[in-house]
Amino acid sequence: MIYIILAVGALVAGIITAIAGGGGMLIMAILMMVDMPIKMIIGTNRVSALMDNGTSAYHYNKNGNVNRTFLKYAVIPAAAGTIVGTRMLAMMDGKILERLIPMILIALIIHSLTSKNVGIESKFQGFTKKTVAMGIGVTFLIGVYMGFFGMAAGSFFALALVYIFKFNFLEAVATVKPLVFLMGITSIFFYAAEGLIDYKYALFITFFRVIGSRFGSTYASKKGSKLVKPVFLTLCAAIVVKDAFY
């Protein structure tokens, strides 16, 4: 029975992650039904998320939704931040960042709901020294958070790009996918070295998440930001509620 639940959940998680990010919350909730330590759950989920984000990144890039110029600025800080985060994991309490992210999300969700045109149409007018510096800073911090815990890192990252660069939601979600994939590769070495991955479950979940991810990214590319924004904000609200009550 657990495999049937995991298959359905992974398929749905793949679709959600491709459109807005954060589908890993569903996978972790299901894995908690299995007698598995929480760190093992996080590591196992990270493997499936890696391939999920890789699939989405490929299809978004193929459809021309990824801002490749920003990737050139962000690759190094993304990797550096993730390395710092995994190194700090044993020395510091990641709860600091885990609590900070939802607080910022609340403010951004409220602003997005009161500003109906935010993220619907791209108002990107090019990069400036200021926006590039802000983008690099945010990328590094997301990398650190990814190294600590990583849950819904892509969702927060995408929302930040909407506000910094005035991307629409589709372009923001698409652009963070390759970077989150890179962060995932970097952090997964840590989990593998620590023996925190159940490969049997990881491979099973990955198969269905990749299918869902391919469908979700293709559908989102066709429907644009009018689809992505409501799904995205609903997911962000779910992250806040989950953090507040669980």
Side-chain angles (χ1 to χ4, degrees), residues 16-17 20-26 28 42 45-46 49 53 97-98 101-102 105 141-143 145-146 148-160 173 176-177 180 183 209 232 234-240 242-243:
I16 293 173
T17 301
M25 288 192 301
L26 177 58
M28 288 188 65
I42 294 172
N45 176 62
R46 187 64 57 85
N53 283 305
L97 282 175
E98 288 176 43
I101 295 297
L105 280 175
L141 290 175
I142 292 295
Y145 173 67
M146 188 81 170
F148 267 127
F149 187 60
M151 184 56 60
S155 301
F156 176 69
F157 197 4
L159 198 50
V173 169
V176 304
K177 291 298 179 182
V180 174
M183 294 174 187
R209 281 189 75 166
F232 188 90
T234 299
L235 180 71
C236 288
I239 294 169
V240 173
K242 172 259 177 190
D243 188 79

Side-chain angles (χ1 to χ4, degrees), residues 92-186:
M92 294 181 62
D93 186 0
K95 292 293 183 181
I96 297 173
L97 282 175
E98 288 176 43
R99 296 302 179 188
L100 179 61
I101 295 297
M103 289 173 63
I104 298 175
L105 280 175
I106 291 173
L108 294 179
I109 290 169
I110 292 173
H111 188 272
S112 296
L113 291 174
T114 55
S115 303
K116 294 184 179 180
N117 293 325
V118 169
I120 295 297
E121 296 181 2
S122 177
K123 295 184 179 180
F124 174 64
Q125 296 182 342
F127 295 102
T128 65
K129 291 182 179 180
K130 179 181 178 180
T131 58
V132 168
M134 292 173 64
I136 289 174
V138 166
T139 301
F140 179 79
L141 290 175
I142 292 295
V144 173
Y145 173 67
M146 188 81 170
F148 267 127
F149 187 60
M151 184 56 60
S155 301
F156 176 69
F157 197 4
L159 198 50
L161 295 191
V162 169
Y163 283 89
I164 293 173
F165 298 113
K166 309 302 180 184
F167 290 163
N168 61 40
F169 275 100
L170 177 60
E171 185 177 11
V173 169
T175 299
V176 304
K177 291 298 179 182
L179 294 169
V180 174
F181 177 71
L182 172 63
M183 294 174 187
I185 291 176
T186 305

Side-chain angles (χ1 to χ4, degrees), residues 19 214-224 227:
I19 296 175
R214 181 171 183 177
F215 174 79
S217 56
T218 300
Y219 188 68
S221 293
K222 291 180 179 179
K223 296 297 181 179
L227 165 70

Side-chain angles (χ1 to χ4, degrees), residues 31 36 40-48 196-198 201-202:
L31 284 176
M36 187 186 299
M40 182 75 76
I41 291 175
I42 294 172
T44 301
N45 176 62
R46 187 64 57 85
V47 174
S48 63
L196 298 176
I197 299 173
D198 186 315
Y201 282 118

